[in-house]
């Protein structure tokens, strides 16, 4: 081990912070790739002569920063990069969001048909229960890895030929606007954490009980009426949502709550 690969016990920097730097340097020097295994807790303790408390703090920080991932019973690995999505703050679709970051999105349409709206969908779209809606179920891949499962509903009267469109490599929003004149102008979206069911885990290539991010949305068209509602399950180990914040000037008025507490 070279001098620069040791913990400097005379340094004012905390030992866990030094260990973080050493682990990152080792990843870069060995040119490790996502999924490559790293030294475990005991191995790091022995190699750098530090306590498990120091090792755990360093690994926890690196995991929170998205550089490594720890899998119970398997070990510590170089993390796969997460796709930072602006879907919460802007009315974009995942297709546009991934393309803007240089990635490739492919959609596998599992179901596309016209169905009667159930009570929940009808309420979202301000329709009567039983009115026809286009029901789309898509498994979406980012760079050929399963990423998101989406269920979308659109009033059938707005896009009567949509079930026959090829959406494999096309943006749904672009198709709606170009072919049917349906333009989304605003909407409401929410995100909550959940755990994957067995069926969801099979679709997304994860394990039952793994974390997923549930995105719900209702989008409004130029007419002022809802034109789309969807539910999307994002893999928690591959996605993060990015939100830009601005502090509004004090006006003395109560603002719209951004955090909703549910029981």
């Amino acid at each position: 081990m070279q001098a620069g690969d040791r913990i400097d016990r005379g340094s004012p920097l905390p030992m866990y912070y030094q260990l973080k730097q050493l682990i990152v340097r080792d990843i870069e020097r060995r040119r490790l790739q996502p999924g490559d295994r790293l030294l475990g807790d005991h191995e790091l303790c022995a190699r750098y002569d530090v306590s498990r408390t120091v090792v755990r703090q360093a690994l926890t920080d690196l995991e929170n920063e998205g550089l490594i991932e720890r899998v119970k019973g398997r070990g510590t690995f170089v993390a796969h990069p997460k796709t930072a999505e602006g879907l919460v703050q802007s009315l974009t679709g995942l297709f546009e969001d991934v393309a803007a970051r240089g990635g490739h999105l492919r959609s596998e349409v599992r179901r596309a048909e016209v169905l009667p709206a159930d009570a929940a969908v009808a309420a979202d779209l301000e329709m009567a229960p039983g009115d026809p809606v286009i029901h789309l179920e898509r498994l979406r891949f980012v760079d050929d890895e399963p990423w998101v499962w989406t269920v979308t509903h659109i009033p059938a009267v707005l896009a009567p030929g949509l079930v026959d469109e090829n959406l494999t490599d096309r943006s749904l929003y672009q198709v709606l606007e170009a072919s049917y004149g349906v333009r989304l102008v605003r909407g409401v979206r929410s995100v909550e954490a959940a755990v994957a069911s067995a069926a969801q885990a099979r679709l997304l290539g994860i394990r039952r009980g793994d974390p997923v991010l549930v995105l719900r949305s209702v989008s409004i068209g130029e007419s002022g009426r809802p034109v789309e509602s969807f539910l999307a399950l994002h893999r928690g180990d591959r996605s993060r949502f990015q939100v830009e914040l601005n502090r509004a000037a004090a006006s003395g008025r109560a603002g719209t709550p951004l955090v909703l507490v549910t029981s």
Side-chain angles (χ1 to χ4, degrees):
M1 186 184 298
Q2 300 175 7
D5 293 334
R6 296 186 177 92
I7 298 291
D8 181 358
R9 300 181 186 278
S11 171
L13 292 174
M15 284 194 288
Y16 82 87
Y17 184 83
Q18 294 184 58
L19 181 57
K20 282 176 56 180
Q21 294 178 314
L22 291 171
I23 293 171
V24 172
R25 188 183 307 158
D26 185 54
I27 292 171
E28 294 173 345
R29 181 166 47 207
R30 294 166 58 197
R31 298 183 179 180
L32 299 181
Q33 300 299 310
D36 287 345
R37 193 180 187 281
L38 300 171
L39 295 178
D41 291 28
H42 295 294
E43 296 166 306
L44 288 170
C45 288
R47 179 171 181 175
Y48 295 105
D49 189 24
V50 292
S51 69
R52 290 198 69 188
T53 300
V54 170
V55 169
R56 286 173 177 168
Q57 180 65 61
L59 294 181
T60 296
D61 279 15
L62 289 173
E63 188 172 31
N64 291 338
E65 292 166 12
L67 297 177
I68 68 168
E69 52 190 355
R70 290 183 285 180
V71 182
K72 188 175 181 179
R74 293 182 55 203
T76 305
F77 303 87
V78 179
H80 290 77
K82 294 189 175 184
T83 296
E85 300 166 24
L87 298 179
V88 179
Q89 70 192 45
S90 60
L91 198 55
T92 61
L94 185 61
F95 188 96
E96 291 90 347
D97 227 44
V98 172
R101 289 160 174 77
H104 176 256
L105 179 73
R106 174 174 62 85
S107 296
E108 184 179 291
V109 179
R110 294 293 187 92
R111 189 177 180 187
E113 59 183 315
V114 177
L115 297 175
D118 62 25
V121 170
D124 282 345
L125 296 177
E126 298 181 4
M127 305 171 65
D131 282 354
V133 292
I134 295 168
H135 176 99
L136 291 175
E137 295 182 15
R138 292 173 292 166
L139 180 59
R140 317 195 73 183
F141 298 77
V142 175
D143 297 329
D144 290 325
E145 184 174 24
W147 215 273
V148 188
W149 171 253
T150 62
V151 180
T152 304
H153 293 98
I154 297 168
V157 68
L158 296 180
L162 186 61
V163 293
D164 298 318
E165 298 278 0
N166 183 354
L167 298 175
T168 302
D169 294 297
R170 302 170 69 195
S171 161
L172 172 61
Y173 290 174
Q174 291 174 1
V175 171
L176 286 173
E177 187 166 349
S179 300
Y180 303 99
V182 177
R183 180 171 176 269
L184 286 60
V185 296
R186 60 186 178 88
V188 176
R189 288 179 175 172
S190 66
V191 182
E192 60 188 273
V195 295
S197 67
Q200 293 163 355
R202 285 194 298 271
L203 284 168
L204 295 173
I206 56 179
R207 296 179 302 177
R208 180 179 181 178
D210 278 356
V212 291
L213 296 173
V214 183
L215 179 65
R216 303 176 191 273
S217 176
V218 175
S219 301
I220 310 299
E222 293 177 304
S223 67
R225 295 183 59 84
V227 297
E228 178 218 33
S229 71
F230 74 76
L231 178 146
L233 296 176
H234 294 248
R235 284 178 57 159
D237 63 339
R238 295 290 185 270
S239 301
R240 69 181 181 187
F241 292 105
Q242 182 172 296
V243 180
E244 293 183 5
L245 303 175
N246 291 293
R247 180 173 174 81
S251 62
R253 295 179 300 172
T256 302
L258 298 180
V259 179
L260 304 180
V261 179
T262 57
S263 58

